[in-house]
Amino acid sequence: MNCELISVGTEILLGDIVNTNAHFLSRQLAELGINVLFQCTVGDNKGRLLTALDTAFGRSDLIILTGGLGPTPDDMTKEVCAEFMGKELVLHGPSLKKIEDFFALKKIAMPESNKKQALMPEASIILENANGTAPGCIMEKDEKAVIILPGPPKEMIPMFLDGVRPYLKKLSHETIFSHNIRTFGIGESAMTELVSDLLESENPTVAPYAKNGEALLRVTAKAGSKKEAEALLTPLIGEIKKRLGSYIYGIDLESVEEAAVALLKEKKLTVAFAESCTGGLCAKRVTDISGASSVFHCGVVSYSNEIKHKLLGVSEESLEKHGAVSALVAAEMALGVKKLSGADFGVSVTGMAGPESDDPRIPVGTIFIAVTDGDRLYLKKLATGHSGKDCRDYNKFVSASNALNELRLCALSYPEKRSEGTDIREFTGSFKEL
Amino acid sequence: MNCELISVGTEILLGDIVNTNAHFLSRQLAELGINVLFQCTVGDNKGRLLTALDTAFGRSDLIILTGGLGPTPDDMTKEVCAEFMGKELVLHGPSLKKIEDFFALKKIAMPESNKKQALMPEASIILENANGTAPGCIMEKDEKAVIILPGPPKEMIPMFLDGVRPYLKKLSHETIFSHNIRTFGIGESAMTELVSDLLESENPTVAPYAKNGEALLRVTAKAGSKKEAEALLTPLIGEIKKRLGSYIYGIDLESVEEAAVALLKEKKLTVAFAESCTGGLCAKRVTDISGASSVFHCGVVSYSNEIKHKLLGVSEESLEKHGAVSALVAAEMALGVKKLSGADFGVSVTGMAGPESDDPRIPVGTIFIAVTDGDRLYLKKLATGHSGKDCRDYNKFVSASNALNELRLCALSYPEKRSEGTDIREFTGSFKEL
């Protein structure tokens, strides 16, 4: 089955936003064994949208449009598609009710213009929007399907996964199953070298990717059923696990924080964060995981030295002698927040995120991470190597990732101690810099 | 002048990479006053690439292709374009020399296949590749131009800026200038209704967008110079400011936190956050702004009630009687973190981010926000209206945005008090729920 994607939105043509919808949908369709032969982007313009539809309908069995379902006059995707398919727009009661409830809940009077979002093409499959006011729909004609979805990814993605994916699964005969093997602490090329011979394999296939400073392997099998596919994938995954060991933090997990939280839950352990340069990102990422409250006690974002001392008990001497960005202060922060919170693990991050460094001796991208279980202390010094004018977000993200991974490694071996830890009784003010 | 972009690469159609080239080129062309009416992506396939070229040539004056200039057999963009334009490929001496030098420099023997990269369409303008082996080129025919550029952004971007931009500047006579008017606290449709008559205007134009729970207006002028454009835009922006008032947090700013931090800096004010459901996101977003350290004292992510009481001094009675998600606890958190940190403003967020609610009386998406200057207290109750299984990130983001906007509004009127504030002396344990 051949598919064409049409993204509608002048903001894409003007370069205001990156078209991530086409990327998401292309990957999803590839996994469903559906060939995407063309992607096309047009503005909010009736004539050009009709041209694009006409071209696409002539060469594809399936057309998926995203964007242009809003309440404003320049949103016209639904109207133009209905006209092209020769379908009337009729008021869809349940959708109108959902939109009215949405505004009622927000205690806002519903603008007239939002009513238009409840007008849907007759005899079409309506796709509910759990995260916005614009429903989507599936229109069928001449054994072809035209699917329209809202533009905002937070509305489009759930609508695709819940409404469209099951519909397409029925149409597509061969299926493709994938697993993502997520690693941390090893580069893409180093990882690739460890599995280079496996990359030759044709079914299942192994493909390396780099993403947000992490390397991952995607293993994919084509088969008639999920069961057959898994039978192909299981031995391959086993072999990869043998080669990559504890670099692997999970399979089909979204992030290292997801792995850390799952592990803490499983072992009934808790954590508290003391963050300087990451500015709350560790706490934010852990609390992005639903149910994190059972493992996360508290976080302290101690940006000023005063707070580091007052709240976390970092000694003024350490701050003066070694500076806020030092192994010693990282260690005292971790011990301080563990004491303050009573959590099983205290984790700290202090560093120079950039773009400017306020201390000539400390280059941008220098990060110190400490994890303590109250008994031993695990310290890591990081040089991210990023100091350009856009380095700040990257340095914060990678610092947080490393802190979360150190937490994961500590929890992994708990109650055993990791070898590289230091007994905190040896850890005094005279503690040496890393 | 109308332009069409054609991205060539099966890896884009498979969703392996995001098409950032189209984004970069679209923005560049918009600034040059060149209208991009279509973007198209095709795989490394001769037939489909010819179809795309033919369609584009029929409706556009300028076609820019990216990708498919590599040395491997499936790289065919240059060959197919030359055939389409009726041009022979001839060996380009300087390009061959550059490729040979490139490999000599790396002390690698040059693969035969790389010679193919020095074969260029006759009578075309050659674009040097400072960062790779594949040159690009500009082919002219029937007063139309077809430009081919390499796929890797680190090769494509410099080649465009150095070689293509100057060429296009000569062709395009007018330029486009835009400003983004960012608002907070008003929906896209409500905002649009306030300026609906202005949307008719043709030059300058006004276009509404919704992004991350915010509405923004993009005003754009076509003119011969930046000065002329600004002369067209200034009165329009003035009129929009009059209509949208303090809903506007900034023009050409990236985010509400950027506005808040700038305002605090300007007025030499400081802030501390006490976060529950946002889990550190307020602190994270403020510290994303370089130089935030001058206005940000500290953040406390008080996830457990124990920490709310121990660290922030929230009374156990309030937690028991009203629950952690209540106006009273939000108020006590804000007062607590202000006292703890000594900052000018204490800001708190507590709520039910979801996807599950652990209190049947409190629906997911219920958020309480408090801001205090130590003298008055500003409380806001929010119902985000999002409770789907993917609501968590959205609810956290929108809650943080609202807290940051309340902080902005308090700083805006400071040292005057906002009308809706409550004297904190009236604020006792008997404080009424909102």
Side-chain angles (χ1 to χ4, degrees):
Chain A
M1 186 162 60
N2 292 338
C3 174
E4 178 153 351
L5 303 180
I6 301 178
S7 310
V8 184
T10 305
E11 65 273 32
I12 304 173
L13 295 178
L14 286 171
D16 287 340
I17 60 170
V18 181
N19 189 353
T20 55
N21 286 347
H23 175 246
F24 170 83
L25 290 172
S26 296
R27 171 163 294 185
Q28 285 288 325
L29 291 159
E31 286 175 5
L32 287 165
I34 296 170
N35 306 316
V36 176
L37 299 186
F38 295 92
Q39 295 173 352
C40 170
T41 302
V42 288
D44 306 294
N45 173 288
K46 185 175 175 178
R48 288 192 284 276
L49 180 49
L50 278 171
T51 310
L53 269 170
D54 195 46
T55 311
F57 207 80
R59 62 192 178 190
S60 307
D61 316 305
L62 171 68
I63 305 171
I64 302 180
L65 299 98
T66 51
L69 299 188
T72 63
D74 66 344
D75 296 304
M76 61 183 72
T77 303
K78 185 175 57 188
E79 292 74 4
V80 173
C81 287
E83 181 180 324
F84 178 80
M85 301 288 280
K87 289 180 185 289
E88 290 292 321
L89 289 176
V90 294
L91 185 72
H92 184 249
S95 296
L96 181 60
K97 174 98 177 48
K98 262 195 94 270
I99 297 168
E100 285 167 343
D101 295 348
F102 181 86
F103 282 97
L105 188 67
K106 290 188 152 199
K107 298 197 172 34
I108 308 168
M110 179 178 109
E112 258 316 295
S113 49
N114 281 86
K115 274 215 180 103
K116 130 182 203 290
Q117 297 186 295
L119 291 171
M120 302 303 292
E122 56 186 338
S124 62
I125 302 166
I126 307 300
L127 303 166
E128 267 199 35
N129 188 337
N131 303 290
T133 55
C137 73
I138 303 175
M139 292 176 262
E140 293 167 329
K141 185 183 175 187
D142 311 342
E143 294 183 345
K144 299 188 175 200
V146 173
I147 301 176
I148 57 181
L149 303 171
K154 73 169 177 57
E155 300 179 27
M156 186 281 288
I157 291 173
M159 191 182 287
F160 179 88
L161 295 175
D162 302 341
V164 181
R165 206 172 190 288
Y167 172 84
L168 295 177
K169 253 183 164 344
K170 284 202 226 85
L171 301 183
S172 169
H173 302 308
E174 182 181 49
T175 338
I176 297 191
F177 291 95
S178 291
H179 290 296
N180 291 310
I181 302 172
R182 308 290 303 258
T183 73
F184 196 92
I186 184 169
E188 185 184 11
S189 32
M191 175 188 73
T192 306
E193 276 175 22
L194 290 176
V195 297
S196 52
D197 56 312
L198 303 178
L199 302 185
E200 320 277 290
S201 155
E202 295 209 331
N203 188 28
T205 58
V206 181
Y209 296 98
K211 200 173 157 193
N212 302 331
E214 295 181 17
L216 73 94
L217 284 173
R218 193 202 285 145
V219 294
T220 306
K222 281 193 186 195
S225 74
K226 188 170 195 313
K227 194 155 166 297
E228 291 168 46
E230 295 296 5
L232 289 166
L233 292 171
T234 309
L236 176 62
I237 292 172
E239 177 58 28
I240 292 170
K241 278 181 168 172
K242 230 185 288 156
R243 300 198 192 179
L244 300 183
S246 73
Y247 285 125
I248 297 174
Y249 66 73
I251 293 174
D252 300 330
L253 292 185
E254 278 310 304
S255 60
V256 65
E257 54 268 32
E258 196 181 334
V261 168
L263 203 54
L264 292 171
K265 267 189 186 166
E266 179 195 325
K267 297 196 169 185
K268 297 195 169 29
L269 296 166
T270 59
V271 64
F273 295 100
E275 305 185 61
S276 187
C277 64
T278 45
L281 184 53
C282 292
K284 186 264 177 192
R285 285 172 60 176
V286 160
T287 56
D288 283 345
I289 312 297
S290 179
S293 48
S294 64
V295 303
F296 175 61
H297 263 224
C298 78
V300 172
V301 184
S302 53
Y303 229 50
S304 67
N305 283 355
E306 181 198 351
I307 294 291
K308 286 186 184 73
H309 173 62
K310 229 171 75 178
L311 228 65
L312 299 174
V314 175
S315 76
E316 281 161 321
E317 189 206 352
S318 311
L319 287 163
E320 244 163 64
K321 257 179 63 189
H322 301 267
V325 179
S326 63
L328 182 56
V329 167
E332 291 184 8
M333 284 169 68
L335 292 163
V337 80
K338 154 111 176 113
K339 189 152 163 256
L340 185 73
S341 64
D344 297 308
F345 291 110
V347 179
S348 72
V349 191
T350 179
M352 204 67 81
E356 270 78 49
S357 167
D358 47 29
D359 181 337
R361 296 160 308 167
I362 299 168
V364 169
T366 307
I367 314 288
F368 293 91
I369 291 163
V371 180
T372 183
D373 55 17
D375 177 19
R376 284 161 70 103
L377 191 82
Y378 304 85
L379 271 157
K380 181 170 189 177
K381 184 179 185 178
L382 205 67
T384 69
H386 279 62
S387 56
K389 73 181 203 308
D390 302 315
C391 67
R392 189 180 179 87
D393 287 358
Y394 178 84
N395 285 338
K396 286 177 76 169
F397 186 83
V398 166
S399 306
S401 299
N402 274 275
L404 293 163
N405 190 56
E406 288 303 305
L407 170 63
R408 176 184 73 90
L409 293 172
C410 288
L412 200 59
S413 53
Y414 196 87
E416 270 81 64
K417 311 298 182 185
R418 289 165 60 197
S419 51
E420 59 282 25
T422 318
D423 187 322
I424 63 166
R425 283 163 308 178
E426 300 167 21
F427 166 76
T428 69
S430 69
F431 185 82
K432 278 172 213 58
E433 283 280 351
L434 279 184
Chain B
M1 184 160 63
N2 293 339
C3 173
E4 179 153 350
L5 303 179
I6 300 177
S7 310
V8 186
T10 304
E11 67 274 29
I12 303 173
L13 295 179
L14 286 173
D16 286 340
I17 62 169
V18 180
N19 188 352
T20 55
N21 286 347
H23 176 245
F24 170 82
L25 291 172
S26 296
R27 171 159 291 184
Q28 285 289 324
L29 291 160
E31 283 172 9
L32 288 163
I34 296 169
N35 307 316
V36 176
L37 298 187
F38 295 92
Q39 296 173 353
C40 171
T41 302
V42 288
D44 306 294
N45 173 289
K46 184 175 177 179
R48 287 192 283 276
L49 181 49
L50 279 171
T51 310
L53 269 170
D54 195 47
T55 311
F57 207 79
R59 62 193 177 189
S60 308
D61 315 307
L62 171 67
I63 304 170
I64 301 179
L65 299 97
T66 51
L69 300 187
T72 63
D74 68 342
D75 296 304
M76 60 184 73
T77 303
K78 185 175 58 185
E79 292 74 7
V80 173
C81 287
E83 180 180 326
F84 178 81
M85 302 289 279
K87 291 179 184 289
E88 290 291 321
L89 289 176
V90 295
L91 185 72
H92 184 249
S95 296
L96 180 60
K97 173 102 179 45
K98 262 198 94 268
I99 297 169
E100 286 166 345
D101 294 349
F102 181 88
F103 282 97
L105 189 70
K106 292 191 155 193
K107 301 199 168 37
I108 309 168
M110 181 178 109
E112 256 318 290
S113 53
N114 281 86
K115 275 215 179 106
K116 145 181 195 282
Q117 298 185 296
L119 291 170
M120 301 304 290
E122 57 184 338
S124 62
I125 303 166
I126 307 300
L127 303 166
E128 270 197 31
N129 188 338
N131 305 287
T133 55
C137 73
I138 302 174
M139 292 175 263
E140 293 168 329
K141 184 184 175 186
D142 311 342
E143 295 182 346
K144 299 189 175 200
V146 173
I147 301 176
I148 58 181
L149 302 171
K154 73 170 177 41
E155 300 179 28
M156 186 279 289
I157 291 173
M159 190 183 286
F160 179 88
L161 295 175
D162 303 341
V164 181
R165 206 172 190 287
Y167 171 83
L168 294 177
K169 249 184 164 344
K170 284 204 225 82
L171 301 183
S172 170
H173 304 304
E174 65 187 354
T175 336
I176 293 192
F177 291 95
S178 290
H179 290 297
N180 291 312
I181 302 172
R182 307 290 303 256
T183 73
F184 195 90
I186 184 169
E188 185 186 10
S189 18
M191 176 188 72
T192 306
E193 278 176 15
L194 289 177
V195 296
S196 52
D197 55 312
L198 303 177
L199 302 185
E200 320 277 292
S201 154
E202 297 212 327
N203 187 30
T205 57
V206 182
Y209 298 105
K211 201 172 157 191
N212 302 331
E214 295 182 16
L216 72 93
L217 284 174
R218 185 167 217 268
V219 294
T220 306
K222 285 191 183 196
S225 74
K226 189 171 193 312
K227 194 154 164 299
E228 289 169 48
E230 295 295 4
L232 288 167
L233 292 171
T234 309
L236 176 63
I237 292 172
E239 177 59 27
I240 291 169
K241 279 181 167 171
K242 230 186 288 156
R243 300 200 194 179
L244 300 184
S246 70
Y247 285 124
I248 297 174
Y249 66 73
I251 293 174
D252 299 329
L253 291 184
E254 279 308 304
S255 62
V256 66
E257 54 266 32
E258 195 181 336
V261 168
L263 203 54
L264 292 171
K265 267 188 185 166
E266 179 197 324
K267 296 197 169 186
K268 299 195 166 30
L269 296 167
T270 58
V271 63
F273 294 99
E275 305 185 62
S276 187
C277 64
T278 44
L281 184 54
C282 292
K284 186 264 177 190
R285 285 172 59 176
V286 160
T287 55
D288 283 344
I289 312 295
S290 179
S293 47
S294 64
V295 303
F296 175 61
H297 262 224
C298 77
V300 172
V301 184
S302 53
Y303 229 50
S304 66
N305 284 353
E306 182 197 350
I307 293 293
K308 287 186 184 75
H309 172 63
K310 227 170 77 180
L311 229 66
L312 299 173
V314 175
S315 76
E316 282 162 323
E317 188 207 350
S318 310
L319 286 164
E320 243 162 66
K321 254 178 65 188
H322 301 268
V325 179
S326 63
L328 181 54
V329 167
E332 291 184 8
M333 285 169 68
L335 292 163
V337 80
K338 153 115 177 107
K339 189 150 165 264
L340 185 72
S341 64
D344 297 308
F345 290 110
V347 179
S348 72
V349 191
T350 179
M352 204 67 79
E356 269 81 48
S357 166
D358 46 31
D359 181 338
R361 296 160 309 167
I362 299 168
V364 168
T366 307
I367 314 289
F368 293 92
I369 291 163
V371 180
T372 183
D373 54 18
D375 177 20
R376 285 162 70 105
L377 190 82
Y378 303 86
L379 271 157
K380 183 170 187 176
K381 184 179 183 177
L382 203 66
T384 68
H386 285 250
S387 55
K389 74 179 202 307
D390 302 309
C391 68
R392 191 180 179 89
D393 288 358
Y394 179 83
N395 285 338
K396 285 176 77 169
F397 186 84
V398 166
S399 306
S401 299
N402 273 276
L404 293 162
N405 189 56
E406 288 302 307
L407 169 62
R408 176 183 72 90
L409 292 172
C410 287
L412 200 59
S413 54
Y414 195 87
E416 269 83 63
K417 311 297 180 185
R418 289 165 61 196
S419 51
E420 60 279 29
T422 318
D423 187 321
I424 64 166
R425 284 164 307 179
E426 298 168 22
F427 166 76
T428 68
S430 69
F431 183 82
K432 281 174 209 56
E433 284 279 351
L434 276 182

